[in-house]
Amino acid sequence: MGGTSQGDPTRRVLIVTGHHTLRVSLKDLINLESDLTVGGEAENLTEARRLSGDDHMVLAIVDHLAFTDREPLRKPVFPENPHMPVILMTLDNELDQLKRALAAGVRGCVTKQDLAEELIPAVRNVLNGQRYISRELLVGIPARVRAAILDGETTEWNE
C-alpha cells in the first residue's frame, strides 16, 4: 500500500537539508497536511541514504546543496530505495541544473523562494506519478522545451 502501513493513512516524507531553519519550516508545511508526515530528517546525503532504506518512506525533498563533488547528483539518487521519488529544492533557474536533476531521476524541482506556495502541490503531483517544475524555473524556456521537460523528454532540450 504505497509506503504506508495498513492502519496508517499518512505518507512519510524524508527531508534532506543542512539548514536547520529550512528543515523546521519544511516539517511544519508537510505536517499541516492530514495525509503526510515527516518520516525522517537528514543534514546530508550520507545520513539520508541510510534513512531512505525505510520502505515506508514515500518521497524525499532534497536541498540542492546536499550534492557535492564527493556526493554528486546521480541516478538513482537513493540506491537503497531507487523508486522513491525526489523533489529538489534549488535557488538556480538554470536549464543545465534542471537537465542534470531530471536525468538523475528527480521528479520535481521547486525554488526555495517559492516553497510556501509550491511545495505541497509539488508533493501531490509527484506522489501521483507526475513531474512538477516550479514556474520560476520554466521562465524564459521556449514552450516546446517546457512541454518536453514536463513530459520527461530530453530530445528537445538543445535549443
Side-chain angles (χ1 to χ4, degrees):
M1 186 171 154
T4 61
S5 62
Q6 249 178 343
D8 184 5
T10 58
R11 297 181 282 182
R12 296 176 59 181
V13 175
L14 173 62
I15 297 173
V16 185
T17 179
H19 299 283
H20 175 75
T21 305
L22 180 56
R23 228 175 16 257
V24 169
S25 296
L26 292 170
K27 189 173 181 175
D28 289 346
L29 275 173
I30 291 164
N31 287 336
L32 285 174
E33 302 298 309
S34 62
D35 62 330
L36 300 173
T37 189
V38 174
E41 300 175 48
E43 291 186 15
N44 56 57
L45 278 180
T46 301
E47 194 177 322
R49 288 191 171 122
R50 183 179 51 77
L51 293 171
S52 73
D54 177 347
D55 64 350
H56 294 290
M57 212 66 73
V58 297
L59 176 96
I61 300 169
V62 183
D63 190 335
H64 75 108
L65 295 174
F67 300 101
T68 65
D69 290 339
R70 287 184 52 217
E71 290 282 358
L73 181 56
R74 65 176 190 250
K75 185 175 188 171
V77 176
F78 294 105
E80 300 79 4
N81 191 345
H83 301 292
M84 180 172 62
V86 174
I87 294 174
L88 183 70
M89 297 179 293
T90 185
L91 289 174
D92 302 324
N93 62 351
E94 294 180 12
L95 184 57
D96 286 341
Q97 181 180 12
L98 183 58
K99 284 171 141 179
R100 282 191 308 274
L102 297 178
V106 169
R107 298 293 304 157
C109 292
V110 180
T111 59
K112 289 181 181 178
Q113 57 267 34
D114 294 324
L115 280 174
E117 298 85 28
E118 294 199 58
L119 182 64
I120 298 304
V123 168
R124 300 256 178 247
N125 277 24
V126 169
L127 287 175
N128 286 326
Q130 300 167 325
R131 189 176 299 278
Y132 187 95
I133 309 296
S134 270
R135 292 178 303 267
E136 178 69 26
L137 295 174
L138 296 173
V139 170
I141 297 174
R144 192 181 82 199
V145 177
R146 269 196 317 266
I149 289 169
L150 292 172
D151 289 341
E153 302 285 329
T154 58
T155 56
E156 301 293 325
W157 291 21
N158 297 323
E159 290 196 353

